[in-house]
Amino acid sequence: MLNIVLFGPPGAGKGTQSEKLIEKFSLVHLSTGDILRGEITQGTPLGMEAKKLMDQGILVPDEVVIGMIKNRIEANASAAGFIFDGFPRTIAQAEALDTFLNGCQTPITCMLSLKVDDEELSRRLLERGKASGRPDDQDESIIRRRIQEYNHKTAPVAGFYQSQGKLVDIQGVGEIETIFEALSDAIEARA
Ligand code: B4P
């Protein structure tokens, strides 16, 4: 079973590359950002609470996203594997995921970390914001807040997987297809 964590700052290309990787490796895509936006669209109480934080560029509480991910893994028990996109985003989330997957005897295979500089991230997100209507992509101060949240709470998660020998850095600037090939090679080397 392949369990891949696709990691990187907001706008690094996680969603873009996940779409291609799930097709190539027949994996189930679990994006906490997409799941939360689904809750917002449906107007659920969880979605309403999450929206207040997401619109400001702040992370949603750990217990909310951990519960969502566990439910989705259990609902896809016969999957060939998962791509975790935008999760884990804190050390607490990473520890909870490890405990859960080790209990199922299906540990994380590797973390693929997309490296993109802050200037390029802002450019991509503002560009996406023009078409997507996502409130968190339309304002430079909110984008800066998201990158700050990443540097403060999420970047240390790379060290968590590095200490297990599972971290692989991938250049995230360049042609989408070239980055996809580098990610695919890294997965095949560990499959
Ligand atoms: P996400 O939905 O995960 O948002 P993201 O990080 O901005 O998306 P992503 O990184 O996948 O976008 P992509 O680069 O593919 O999270 C949104 C919010 O939800 C968070 O701020 C937080 O509040 C909350 N949340 C989610 N998960 C959480 C968790 N686990 N814990 C707590 N809170 C959580 O795309 C960006 C743009 O770049 C696209 O337009 C794309 O076309 C473009 N692009 C991609 N690759 C490119 C390339 N190589 N060259 C040029 N452009 C490229």
Side-chain angles (χ1 to χ4, degrees), residues 1 14 16 18 25-26 31 39 45 53 73 78-79 85 87 89 98 110 120 138 144 150 159 165 175 188 190:
M1 188 167 190
K14 303 183 296 288
T16 305
S18 289
F25 293 98
S26 305
S31 158
E39 297 278 345
L53 299 168
I73 296 172
S78 57
D85 163 6
F87 181 92
R89 256 176 156 102
D98 254 19
C110 59
E120 171 71 4
Q138 288 176 23
R144 269 199 302 277
Y150 173 82
E175 293 295 324
E188 277 160 358
R190 288 177 171 250

Side-chain angles (χ1 to χ4, degrees), residues 1 27-30 69-82:
M1 188 167 190
L27 302 172
V28 171
H29 183 202
L30 293 183
I69 285 284
K70 281 185 186 171
N71 289 342
R72 298 303 196 285
I73 296 172
E74 282 167 351
N76 289 281
S78 57
F82 295 93

Side-chain angles (χ1 to χ4, degrees), residues 8-17 31-34 36-37 50 53-55 57-62 65 68 85-90 93 114 120-121 123-125 127-129 134 136-137 146 149 172-177 179:
K14 303 183 296 288
T16 305
Q17 295 294 340
S31 158
T32 38
D34 287 351
L36 289 166
R37 280 185 290 277
L53 299 168
M54 291 168 74
D55 284 357
I58 298 172
L59 293 184
V60 172
D62 287 335
V65 284
M68 287 181 343
D85 163 6
F87 181 92
R89 256 176 156 102
T90 63
Q93 292 179 21
L114 291 166
E120 171 71 4
L121 296 174
R123 192 194 65 71
R124 287 184 190 178
L125 294 174
E127 190 59 35
R128 179 172 68 183
R134 268 178 63 169
D136 59 343
D137 280 349
R146 289 164 66 193
E149 282 275 277
V173 180
E175 293 295 324
I176 288 172
E177 207 52 42
I179 298 164

